[in-house]
């Protein structure tokens, strides 16, 4: 179909040059102006995300695996899929002796070999985040080879670790400061709540295709 | 849809006579307008971000051919296969070719307006491929065998009761329960099995970033992520105008789109895809294809005034605020894009012969222009299309198709009358004396008086009255 390509591009170029538009300057100031004091960001993120049914747990760097295990026990969640290659994954396994032990399932093989389990039995998935955004109450997810995309998508409960030293004002600020444009991963995501829909007569319902519950485990620094 | 020209007047009369439909739309649009307004409490912020979003779109259009080339280059570098289609037939052929190579039997689709333009589902079904819409609203519409009534909320014309009946009829083991939570869960169960089994996932694109070769998709349900992550092959479809220059251009668009569309600060997911599964990665499709569709867009682009149509980010806000759309609903337009954006886009894509009525389905109230997040002069374009419809040889496909000798004679007479003071005075005098005697059933008058009361002419003209007050003629 390269014929189509060339004829489309030639046409666009010729007609554009016949009437060259002069776009106004792109002034990003209205977005840059959106700022919150450091201590306001987390409460704001929490408020916005709770408004769409996100749950929050508080923990420290040392005790989060414990807090997580207690949560899973309390909620009767029997299986947790995690990324064994990440720091967090290692810490999760090591923090094992002190709490009730759910079945920990390492995401250590390709999706194809895990699909039936992922869709049918695994209840929860644990991921890290690259921070969160105060303006909209959004987590930044950055799946990698160690921490696959479906970890935060298929299990009914998605648990996300959020460090309080990576809170940004806006999406724009986050992508600038983390230098996204230089190195986009296969998939990057903003996640602002559990899966939801209002397609049936504007009635909000949670858990339509993605996770039914989103739990943010805040690791206070 | 092809073949006979759709009859908007007849379809809207039928819609207007359906109180259930009108109630469903009225309720939904009122809710959406209120929710949108609540997202823009600060007028300064709205004006600032809106100016930026419009500038981003205008800059993209000003460099459109170059950006499409850069996009292709960067996508290719990232491992995405880029295809170009001049027409919907070509795009369908590309899709079929990919599906055949993948030996695909089951396709799951995320929301994509471009594939509606292509009537892709019908093409795939004819080829024996099962295709399932997975956005809940699209799934409902597909089960119902109709088309989306709104670009953001496809099933907005139906209420819970109607959907419960539909599910009961079409889904095995469905209970008859008029409960949105139950119905949603039912769809979840049906569709999760399909995501797991699908050979190919399809999606649209909200913005394609030239700088990084990234496809951005926004959604609330997670079905878009399922379609683009779980099946081994992903095909994304985009209209050629959907490109933006830089990754930084995405935040302004994402900032306004969900707020304008559904009144939420952001969608649940903003999904940015920059390639297929890399070596060592455990999931994601092995192949990602991007189909770039023209389908008349390069003709729209050729005209400097009509070009503004291509700024659209498909938020649907113009529909929610349109007094005509709210009353006749989405289906009366019988088009993939209804409402104000449809009224300017569809006639340009499909031609004025078939779609000449659409630009007339507008009161020119300007409500859409006021809320459009990228400041498209929708009403001006509407006016332009009305002119194009009666002016042969213009910029738009089938221009002049609606030209009528009678109408053009009436307007010439009107112009002549208004250009000559004597003619004007004679005509207005005649109207003030005889106008009220003209029966409302006169041929041309009838079209107006059919649905309106004939206005009463004043006994004396304005000129008379002014003169009586001592205001001199000039
Ligand atoms: S024309 Fe404007 S308001 Fe309508 S869908 Fe497009 S961007 Fe939204």
């Amino acid at each position: 179909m390269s014929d189509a390509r060339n004829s489309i591009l030639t046409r666009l170029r010729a007609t554009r040059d016949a009437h060259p538009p002069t776009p106004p300057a792109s002034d990003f100031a209205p977005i840059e102006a959106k700022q919150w004091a450091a201590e306001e960001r987390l409460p704001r993120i929490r408020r916005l995300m709770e408004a769409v049914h996100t749950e929050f747990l508080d923990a420290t760097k040392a005790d989060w695996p414990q807090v997580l295990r207690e949560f899973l026990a309390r909620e009767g969640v029997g299986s947790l899929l995690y990324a064994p290659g990440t720091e967090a994954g290692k810490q999760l396994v090591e923090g094992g002796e002190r709490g009730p032990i759910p079945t920990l399932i390492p995401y250590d093989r390709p999706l194809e070999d895990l699909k039936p389990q992922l869709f049918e039995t695994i209840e929860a998935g644990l991921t890290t985040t690259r921070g969160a955004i105060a303006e909209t109450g959004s987590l930044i997810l950055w799946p990698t080879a160690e921490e696959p995309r479906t970890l935060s998508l298929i299990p009914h409960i998605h648990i996300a670790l959020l460090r309080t030293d990576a809170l940004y004002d806006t999406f724009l600020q986050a992508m600038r400061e983390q230098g996204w444009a230089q190195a986009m991963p296969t998939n990057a995501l903003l996640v602002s709540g559990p899966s939801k829909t209002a397609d049936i007569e504007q009635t909000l319902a949670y858990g339509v295709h993605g996770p039914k519950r989103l739990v943010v485990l805040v690791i206070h620094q | 849809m092809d073949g006979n020209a759709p009859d908007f007047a007849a379809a809207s009369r039928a819609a207007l006579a359906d109180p259930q439909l009108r109630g469903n739309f009225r309720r939904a649009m009122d809710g959406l307008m209120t929710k949108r307004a609540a997202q823009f409490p600060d007028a300064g912020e709205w004006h600032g971000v809106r100016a930026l979003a419009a500038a981003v779109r205008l800059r993209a259009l000003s460099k459109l051919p170059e950006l499409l080339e850069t996009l292709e280059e960067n996508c290719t570098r990232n491992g995405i296969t880029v295809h170009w289609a001049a027409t919907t037939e070509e795009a369908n052929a590309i899709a079929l070719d990919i599906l055949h190579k993948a030996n695909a039997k089951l396709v799951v689709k995320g929301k994509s307006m471009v594939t509606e333009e292509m009537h892709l589902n019908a093409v795939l079904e004819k080829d024996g491929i099962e295709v399932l819409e997975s956005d809940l609203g699209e799934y409902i519409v597909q089960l119902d065998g109709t088309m989306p009534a709104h670009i953001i909320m496809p099933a907005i014309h139906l209420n819970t009761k109607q959907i419960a009946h539909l599910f009961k009829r079409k889904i095995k083991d469905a209970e008859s329960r008029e409960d949105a939570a139950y119905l949603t869960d039912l769809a979840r169960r049906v569709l999760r099995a399909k995501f797991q089994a699908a050979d190919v996932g399809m999606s649209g694109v909200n913005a394609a970033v030239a700088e990084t070769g990234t496809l951005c998709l926004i959604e609330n349900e997670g079905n878009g992520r399922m379609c683009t992550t779980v099946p081994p092959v992903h095909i994304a479809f985009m209209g050629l105008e959907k490109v933006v220059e830089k990754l930084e251009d995405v935040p302004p668009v994402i900032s306004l789109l969900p707020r304008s569309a559904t009144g939420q600060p952001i969608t649940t997911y903003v999904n940015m895809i920059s390639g297929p599964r890399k070596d060592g990665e455990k999931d994601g499709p092995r192949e990602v294809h991007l189909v770039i569709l023209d389908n008349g867009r390069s003709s729209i682009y050729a005209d400097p005034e009509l070009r503004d149509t291509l700024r659209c980010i498909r938020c649907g806000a113009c529909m929610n605020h349109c007094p005509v759309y709210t009353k006749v609903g989405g289906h009366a337009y019988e088009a993939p894009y209804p409402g104000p954006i449809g009224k300017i886009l569809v006639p340009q894509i499909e031609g004025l012969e078939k779609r000449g009525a659409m630009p007339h389905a507008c009161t020119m109230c300007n409500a859409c222009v006021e809320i459009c997040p990228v400041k498209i002069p929708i009403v001006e374009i509407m006016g332009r299309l009305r002119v194009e419809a009666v002016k042969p040889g213009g910029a738009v496909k089938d221009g002049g198709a609606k030209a009528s000798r009678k109408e053009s004679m009436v307007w010439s007479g009107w112009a002549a009358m208004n250009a000559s003071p004597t003619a004007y005075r004679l005509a207005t005098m005649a109207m003030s004396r005889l106008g009220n005697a003209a029966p409302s059933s006169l041929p041309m008058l009838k079209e107006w008086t059919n649905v309106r009361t004939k206005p009463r002419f004043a006994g004396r003209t304005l000129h008379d009255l002014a003169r009586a007050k001592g205001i001199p003629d000039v």
Side-chain angles (χ1 to χ4, degrees), chain B residues 50 151-152 257 260-261 308-309 311-321 337-342 344 367-369 371-378:
Chain B
R50 187 188 194 207
I151 63 171
I152 303 287
L257 209 167
S260 301
D308 284 333
T309 313
R311 268 191 234 174
C312 177
I313 57 171
R314 304 278 190 270
C315 71
C318 52
M319 278 153 230
N320 306 345
H321 292 73
Y337 306 95
I341 182 62
I344 59 172
C368 54
V369 179
I371 50 82
C372 175
V374 287
K375 300 208 262 188
I376 300 179
I378 302 171

Side-chain angles (χ1 to χ4, degrees), chain B residues 54-337:
Chain B
V56 159
R57 292 297 303 136
L58 283 164
R59 172 159 45 82
L61 292 175
S62 75
K63 303 178 182 176
L64 188 56
E66 291 78 16
L67 294 186
L68 286 170
E69 282 172 324
T70 313
L71 177 70
E72 180 185 43
E73 201 179 299
N74 287 326
C75 282
T76 309
R77 196 200 51 212
N78 293 345
I80 299 173
T81 313
V82 179
H83 309 261
W84 301 74
T87 62
T88 56
E89 289 78 20
E90 283 181 22
N92 283 323
I94 292 166
L96 277 178
D97 190 47
I98 300 169
L99 293 172
H100 291 158
K101 283 191 185 130
N103 199 14
K105 303 273 177 296
L106 173 64
V107 173
V108 284
K109 276 181 75 197
K111 236 180 117 22
S112 152
M113 293 312 300
V114 162
T115 58
E116 296 284 344
E117 250 176 76
M118 295 158 54
H119 303 295
L120 176 65
N121 292 4
V123 173
L124 299 190
E125 275 157 16
K126 227 174 112 198
D127 200 71
I129 296 169
E130 183 186 351
V131 49
L132 217 86
E133 293 288 350
S134 63
D135 169 89
L136 182 58
E138 293 275 355
Y139 174 69
I140 292 167
V141 167
Q142 190 187 28
L143 278 185
D144 200 23
T146 52
M147 61 192 300
H150 189 285
I151 63 171
I152 303 287
M153 283 141 298
I156 201 147
H157 57 296
L158 300 172
N159 60 26
T160 312
K161 189 171 172 176
Q162 293 166 309
I163 295 166
H165 280 265
L166 176 69
F167 278 20
K168 175 82 188 120
R169 265 198 344 267
K170 300 276 179 154
I171 301 176
K172 213 172 130 251
D173 303 330
E175 293 169 31
S176 186
R177 275 169 62 184
E178 291 168 25
D179 169 7
Y182 166 75
L183 297 168
T184 303
D185 202 58
L186 185 60
R188 177 184 179 91
R189 269 183 281 144
V190 174
L191 285 162
R192 282 205 150 214
K194 298 290 183 180
F195 290 130
Q196 193 181 342
D199 304 301
V200 171
M202 292 182 174
S203 76
V205 174
N206 290 102
V209 184
E211 178 186 31
T212 54
T214 301
L215 312 177
C216 302
L217 275 82
I218 62 170
E219 52 141 352
N220 286 318
E221 298 184 357
N223 67 307
R225 286 184 67 196
M226 287 282 187
C227 292
T228 58
T229 312
V230 177
V233 178
H234 167 211
I235 312 176
F237 296 86
M238 66 178 260
L240 57 73
E241 80 280 19
K242 278 277 137 61
V243 67
V244 295
E245 185 176 12
K246 296 192 153 87
L247 194 64
E248 288 192 358
D249 293 336
V250 174
V253 172
I254 299 289
S255 167
L256 294 185
L257 209 167
R259 287 196 283 168
S260 301
T262 50
Q264 44 177 354
I266 191 164
T267 48
T268 302
Y269 303 110
V270 177
N271 183 6
M272 291 159 274
I273 298 164
S274 306
R277 184 188 308 195
K278 290 197 195 74
D279 283 346
E281 290 179 347
K282 298 184 184 66
D283 60 6
R286 306 249 178 215
E287 286 174 36
V288 177
H289 298 265
L290 174 65
V291 181
I292 302 175
L293 175 67
D294 181 345
N295 192 28
R297 289 167 173 80
S298 59
S299 305
I300 300 175
Y301 187 73
D303 184 282
E305 194 180 21
L306 300 174
R307 193 180 280 165
D308 284 333
T309 313
L310 300 178
R311 268 191 234 174
C312 177
I313 57 171
R314 304 278 190 270
C315 71
C318 52
M319 278 153 230
N320 306 345
H321 292 73
C322 176
V324 177
Y325 175 89
T326 304
K327 300 210 173 46
V328 302
H331 285 154
Y333 299 87
E334 297 179 74
Y337 306 95

Side-chain angles (χ1 to χ4, degrees), chain A residues 26-36 132-136 138 140 142 167-182 190, chain B residues 48-49 52-53 56 59 211 246-255 266 270 272:
Chain A
S26 301
D27 177 7
F28 284 81
I31 293 185
E32 289 157 350
K34 296 180 188 188
Q35 290 176 7
W36 287 270
I133 295 164
E135 186 193 2
T136 51
S138 311
I140 302 165
W142 205 264
L167 306 181
Y168 299 87
D169 290 318
T170 60
F171 182 20
L172 182 68
Q173 186 202 15
M175 70 165 61
R176 279 181 179 169
E177 292 189 7
Q178 296 186 350
W180 290 19
Q182 282 76 52
L190 303 186
Chain B
V49 181
L52 172 58
V56 159
R59 172 159 45 82
E211 178 186 31
K246 296 192 153 87
L247 194 64
E248 288 192 358
D249 293 336
V250 174
V253 172
I254 299 289
S255 167
I266 191 164
V270 177
M272 291 159 274

Side-chain angles (χ1 to χ4, degrees), chain A residues 177-218:
Chain A
E177 292 189 7
Q178 296 186 350
W180 290 19
Q182 282 76 52
M184 283 297 272
T186 303
N187 185 215
L189 296 153
L190 303 186
V191 175
S192 306
S195 153
K196 67 176 188 295
T197 184
D199 274 348
I200 299 179
E201 211 185 331
Q202 300 286 291
T203 311
L204 208 50
Y206 287 88
V208 54
H209 299 298
K212 292 181 171 184
R213 293 172 71 181
L214 171 63
V215 181
V216 180
L217 181 44
V218 182

